[in-house]
Amino acid sequence: MAGSMKALRFHSAKDLRVESVPVPELLPGQVKVKPEWCGICGSDLHEYLTGPILTPAVGKPHRLTGCTVPLIMGHEFAGEVVELGPGVQPGRLKVGMKVCIEPTLFDDTCPPCLDRRRNCCEKGGFFGLSGWGGGFSEYACLQEKVVHPLPDNVSTEIGALVEPLAVAWHAVKASDHSPDQSALVVGAGPIGLAVLFCLLAKGCRQILISEVSPQRIKHALDIAASHPDVEIKVLDPTKEDVVAKAKELCSQGNQGPNTAYDCAGVQKSIETAIGAVRKGGLVCNVSVWEKPATIDVNALVFSEKKLMGVACYCEGDFQEVIEAISTGKIRNPEKLITARVALEDAVTNGFEALMKSREHVKILVHP
Ligand SMILES: NC(=O)c1ccc[n+]([C@@H]2O[C@H](COP(=O)([O-])OP(=O)(O)OC[C@H]3O[C@@H](n4cnc5c(N)ncnc54)[C@H](O)[C@@H]3O)[C@@H](O)[C@H]2O)c1
Ligand SMILES: [Zn+2]
């Protein structure tokens, strides 16, 4: 199918354009998808503000895709299958099926990939940041194995939330947190709230959330209100000592939560996470840092606390999130969606709106 389509492309910081570009060619082993909803992610915002960060720098083709700017953006998306490429057998995927996309790009050949850690691929990137297309467009062609069918009871709007939920799902899984343990989530942005949803899906009974922004506190309280059977406490570090409060609230067996998730990525948040977690507990860092943090390593040593990092998601995470939504374990994830905008309005009512206020959590674009 030749012709052109509309797409939102990254040229440079503060320069995103809705343009007419060629419809991508469908290669063997690929599936052509028509994106219906695509979320704006914090990393998209970072590119918009100070990019290129994950997008390749001018004149430096991406190490895996070989693509250079301008590039189509958007990696949190779901839509409809419109065509199967040569070699793709109809079965798991069919034309007309609703699907969501796992956007990590990996070479499948480097040592981390062979070690089943494609999220740590030496050449890794993202569909929607590193080339080959993106979700803020009318069509996208992707390898069959990164296209995941959505059950009938999961809409493409919710499908666009699977990606951030998969980040959180992977974090909760990697941290080995068990339902009878207590958790602290530092930062209630889209990722922190997604961690909250995944902890709830796991059946956790005691969850603390620390957040500085009044608007985001409101979102966390709203999710908490829809789970009255679970002890969810939202703490405000501008008003109380979160470390002391966490120790007081989680005092079964040992003081402090078993696991703390840093989903804010600032010096204060990692200090809170390390300070609050119980002796022998785990700090799971989900944040991507703009600059290095200062860590008091002795605070780990003499309390035998552990610190780990988690990146994206691996094989199985997308399928598990889709199933958790479909079976109601992840309940009402649409609470993360605070606005829906057309592609033409994505910059003003999407990117700019997210920068102006923390009232928004997830804004979805309808390409
Ligand atoms: N590991 C991964 O694969 C992965 C994937 C996606 C995003 N991320 C990262 O996760 C982090 C969170 O993403 P997001 O989109 O939710 O970001 P966000 O900026 O929207 O949310 C961060 C929240 O932390 C709050 N905060 C700031 N300082 C705080 C403090 N001292 N105590 C408590 N809360 C505080 C902010 O008010 C904000 O609501 C970012 O660093 C992002 O880059 C990581
Ligand atoms: Zn690799």
Side-chain angles (χ1 to χ4, degrees), residues 33-94:
V33 174
K34 188 165 178 54
E36 282 176 9
W37 293 102
C38 182
I40 302 176
C41 168
S43 13
D44 296 331
L45 278 185
H46 278 135
E47 295 296 329
Y48 179 60
L49 283 173
T50 54
I53 307 164
L54 293 170
T55 48
V58 178
K60 264 193 102 181
H62 186 267
R63 56 197 172 176
L64 181 64
T65 66
C67 297
T68 49
V69 288
L71 290 173
I72 302 175
M73 292 189 86
H75 60 273
E76 299 181 354
F77 67 106
E80 190 184 311
V81 173
V82 290
E83 200 180 340
L84 303 180
V88 179
Q89 296 303 320
R92 192 180 71 91
L93 297 169
K94 290 188 190 72

Side-chain angles (χ1 to χ4, degrees), residues 167 187 189-191 210-212 216 263-264 266 286-288 310-312 358:
V167 170
I191 294 296
S210 166
E211 169 60 57
V212 289
R216 293 272 165 95
C263 304
V266 294
V286 192
S287 303
V288 175
V310 283
C312 317
R358 293 212 182 272

